[in-house]
Amino acid sequence: MFRNNRVARIVAPLIIIAILVVVMEFINSKKEEKKDVIIGSCNISIDCKNILDNKDILDLELRDKVPKDGMILKKTKVDLHKGDSAYDILRRVTKDKNISMESSDTAGNKYVKGIDNFYEFSCGPQSGWMYKVNNKIPHKSSSDYKIKRDDVISWKFTCKKGDVK
């Protein structure tokens, strides 16, 4: 094919790499297509009601930002896509509803640092975000908890250990 063996040694690996990149992109696009399949719906709510009883320890600049009823997002029905985790639903609904949300990623596990300007430690040393599914607290990262059709996800801000039951 190539008259010059030296050119062949340079070009052949580049062609192989290009083919592998194209194949990997194709495989990844198929994975994304599968994930976009809507399999039903679920419900999600986001509340910071625990702050209402703990405003005295809430960061001063946040005191006027607490919703009067403590609800950032009332129970809302959303599409459930194949493979969605509790974190995926939160990320999608906060983006769709223009609610700020910040998270970090540690070893593939997502940690929700803040929602709607309420962050971990903004209402005491034990404060932060927790989630419940069907009124139970899962003992795993929200990015690992796969949501099923008709599940009810509740994101709750906790100020003190035990105030989310």
Side-chain angles (χ1 to χ4, degrees):
M1 178 171 161
F2 295 103
R3 292 181 182 205
N4 186 338
N5 212 7
R6 186 175 187 192
V7 172
R9 280 186 276 155
I10 294 171
V11 173
L14 292 175
I15 292 171
I16 291 170
I17 290 171
I19 291 170
L20 287 174
V21 167
V22 169
V23 168
M24 292 306 292
E25 286 297 318
F26 178 76
I27 290 169
N28 286 336
S29 71
K30 289 299 178 190
K31 284 181 184 176
E32 285 302 313
E33 283 176 20
K34 286 181 183 175
K35 188 162 176 62
D36 286 340
V37 173
I38 297 173
I39 59 169
S41 63
C42 63
N43 289 284
I44 183 170
S45 63
I46 305 170
D47 83 59
C48 59
K49 289 179 181 178
N50 287 316
I51 293 175
L52 297 173
D53 295 329
N54 294 283
K55 275 193 170 181
D56 56 318
I57 58 174
L58 181 65
D59 291 348
L60 289 174
E61 68 273 7
L62 295 174
R63 291 184 181 172
D64 293 334
K65 297 182 190 278
V66 182
K68 290 190 185 335
D69 64 355
M71 293 302 296
I72 295 168
L73 178 72
K74 292 182 179 2
K75 188 175 176 182
T76 302
K77 189 175 188 174
V78 296
D79 287 340
L80 176 63
H81 298 217
K82 185 176 184 179
D84 271 347
S85 67
Y87 176 80
D88 294 329
I89 299 291
L90 175 68
R91 182 176 38 98
R92 193 164 53 244
V93 78
T94 54
K95 182 179 178 187
D96 290 349
K97 301 289 185 182
N98 204 26
I99 299 169
S100 65
M101 194 273 286
E102 186 178 340
S103 63
S104 61
D105 191 331
T106 306
N109 292 315
K110 297 289 187 184
Y111 174 73
V112 175
K113 295 163 74 172
I115 301 173
D116 201 32
N117 298 308
F118 298 104
Y119 283 81
E120 58 184 339
F121 313 126
S122 60
C123 194
Q126 297 176 332
S127 65
W129 287 97
M130 297 178 68
Y131 77 104
K132 295 170 84 174
V133 178
N134 302 325
N135 214 25
K136 293 181 182 150
I137 299 172
H139 297 286
K140 60 170 62 176
S141 167
S142 62
S143 58
D144 289 334
Y145 192 98
K146 298 302 177 198
I147 299 300
K148 297 179 205 78
R149 184 177 299 140
D150 299 324
D151 277 351
V152 178
I153 309 160
S154 306
W155 282 90
K156 298 183 171 288
F157 192 82
T158 179
C159 296
K160 299 174 183 170
K161 188 174 183 177
D163 66 0
V164 172
K165 297 177 179 148

